[in-house]
Amino acid sequence: MTLHVADQIAEAVAAGRQTLAMDEALLAKLIDVAGAFAVNLTIAILIFAATLFAAKWGAGAVRRGLGRTRAFRHDSTVTNFAAQVVRVVIIIIGLIAVLQRLGVQTTSIIAVLGAASLAVGLALQGTLSNVAAGVMLLVLRPYRVGDVVDIGGATGSVQRLDLFTTQMSNANNHKIVVPNSKVLGDIITNLSGQKTRRVEIHFTVGYGENLSDVRKVLLAVATLHDKVLTDPAPWSGVTGLLDSAVQVTLHAWVVPSDWWQTQADLMQAGKEALDEAGIEIPFPHQVAVPYGDEDVLPVVTVRTTEDQAGATADAGAPPAAKPRGKG
């Protein structure tokens, strides 16, 4: 009886020692796994930090390298675009290295993404089209950073061209963001893409005025302006016979950056010079034309400056006759 109890106690002690040994082995293994994960996590953090540094350094190196190239020295469009692409590529490579260091099987992730590429492509077709359009804009280069362009009716100075959008700023300092796919699919008018730009101003004078004198006055105004170029020389001529006025147009060529102010100066100086020369600039007026019954007089409106003001044909139509008379 005593021997049997002793055997049970010995077996219990042996089982306890075996369990304790297993627990110690498990604990040691957990410590090893935690230590290895801590090491891998630390290395992954260092890789990520190095990736951010390398991305910043690589983008800067691209900017410096392209800045030394004569073709891109004064054009930041290609430089910024290339720097952004290099930065994104380096970050993607660094993230893959981080995942591999943490034990994530990137090959399986790539396989899953490859299988789902069709669905992702359909879901992101708008975004991908913007990227493709951005690359085409970079290759075709219809405008550069700093150019004043008109895209789909929105006019502004190009501030930035990136992978997805074109950013502009208009005269009121409003920020305009246009998707690259819309830019590439719309009409682009580059207002500062050439070395010179023409100012075109329409003046109207009375039919009784000497048109040669009118042209001389306007040409003298343009010639005296210091921002007007001599080549091509200013030009003035009759360009329209309106209802109650003759339209005389003044053309003057300037540097694109001087266009706005020069146009305003020439418009003001031209009007003042015509007034000083005693040349009539007709006003809109109404003419009463009698017909039939003398008690009924229609009023016909004649707009002599509608073309200059940009009025439409419907806006310039005469109003209906208004009867006047007894009762």
Side-chain angles (χ1 to χ4, degrees):
M1 182 73 178
T2 303
L3 183 60
H4 180 68
V5 172
D7 291 340
Q8 290 180 347
I9 293 174
E11 290 178 357
V13 171
R17 289 177 178 177
Q18 185 177 3
T19 302
L20 182 60
M22 292 178 60
D23 291 342
E24 291 177 352
L26 181 60
L27 180 61
K29 187 175 182 179
L30 289 176
I31 293 175
D32 292 339
V33 171
F37 179 76
V39 172
N40 289 333
L41 181 61
T42 303
I43 295 176
I45 294 174
L46 294 176
I47 292 175
F48 184 71
T51 298
L52 296 180
F53 175 79
K56 184 177 181 179
W57 180 87
V62 170
R63 287 194 177 93
R64 291 190 296 270
L66 293 179
R68 297 189 185 99
T69 306
R70 180 177 301 178
F72 308 116
R73 185 173 301 169
H74 303 291
D75 182 13
S76 60
T77 306
V78 177
T79 303
N80 293 335
F81 194 92
Q84 186 179 19
V85 171
V86 170
R87 185 171 183 272
V88 171
V89 170
I90 293 177
I91 290 177
I92 291 176
I93 295 175
L95 290 177
I96 293 176
V98 168
L99 292 176
Q100 288 180 341
R101 191 65 193 181
L102 294 176
V104 178
Q105 297 297 326
T106 56
T107 54
S108 60
I109 296 177
I110 295 175
V112 172
L113 292 178
S117 59
L118 180 59
V120 173
L122 292 175
L124 300 178
Q125 57 182 346
T127 303
L128 296 177
S129 65
N130 288 329
V131 175
V135 174
M136 292 301 299
L137 290 173
L138 187 65
V139 173
L140 300 176
R141 298 175 73 182
Y143 54 80
R144 303 178 180 182
V145 172
D147 287 351
V148 179
V149 298
D150 185 309
I151 302 174
T155 303
S157 175
V158 178
Q159 302 294 317
R160 183 178 178 183
L161 170 63
D162 55 28
L163 286 173
F164 304 101
T165 60
T166 294
Q167 298 182 15
M168 302 188 300
S169 176
N170 64 9
N172 295 325
N173 202 27
H174 297 162
K175 183 177 180 180
I176 304 173
V177 181
V178 186
N180 286 334
S181 58
K182 180 175 177 59
V183 175
L184 192 63
D186 212 329
I187 297 176
I188 303 173
T189 303
N190 193 331
L191 302 177
S192 59
Q194 305 296 331
K195 295 182 179 180
T196 58
R197 186 177 178 186
R198 189 181 74 181
V199 174
E200 181 178 87
I201 305 176
H202 301 297
F203 295 90
T204 56
V205 299
Y207 270 97
E209 302 297 334
N210 188 317
L211 299 181
S212 297
D213 292 341
V214 174
R215 294 175 55 224
K216 291 179 182 178
V217 169
L218 296 179
L219 285 175
V221 169
T223 304
L224 292 175
H225 199 287
D226 59 341
K227 299 297 184 181
V228 174
L229 303 177
T230 57
D231 186 19
W235 175 88
S236 179
V238 178
T239 55
L241 301 176
L242 308 181
D243 293 336
S244 297
V246 178
Q247 177 176 281
V248 181
T249 301
L250 175 64
H251 288 170
W253 293 87
V254 296
V255 176
S257 59
D258 297 330
W259 187 86
W260 283 103
Q261 188 59 48
T262 304
Q263 177 182 242
D265 293 344
L266 293 180
M267 191 174 296
Q268 177 180 345
K271 196 269 182 187
E272 293 175 350
L274 292 176
D275 291 342
E276 185 178 354
I279 297 173
E280 178 192 6
I281 299 178
F283 291 93
H285 57 278
Q286 292 180 334
V287 179
V289 181
Y291 69 96
D293 188 356
E294 295 183 356
D295 293 335
V296 180
L297 295 178
V299 178
V300 181
T301 301
V302 180
R303 298 176 60 88
T304 60
T305 59
E306 60 184 359
D307 291 339
Q308 183 179 0
T312 61
D314 292 338
K322 180 178 179 180
R324 293 191 311 177
K326 301 178 180 179

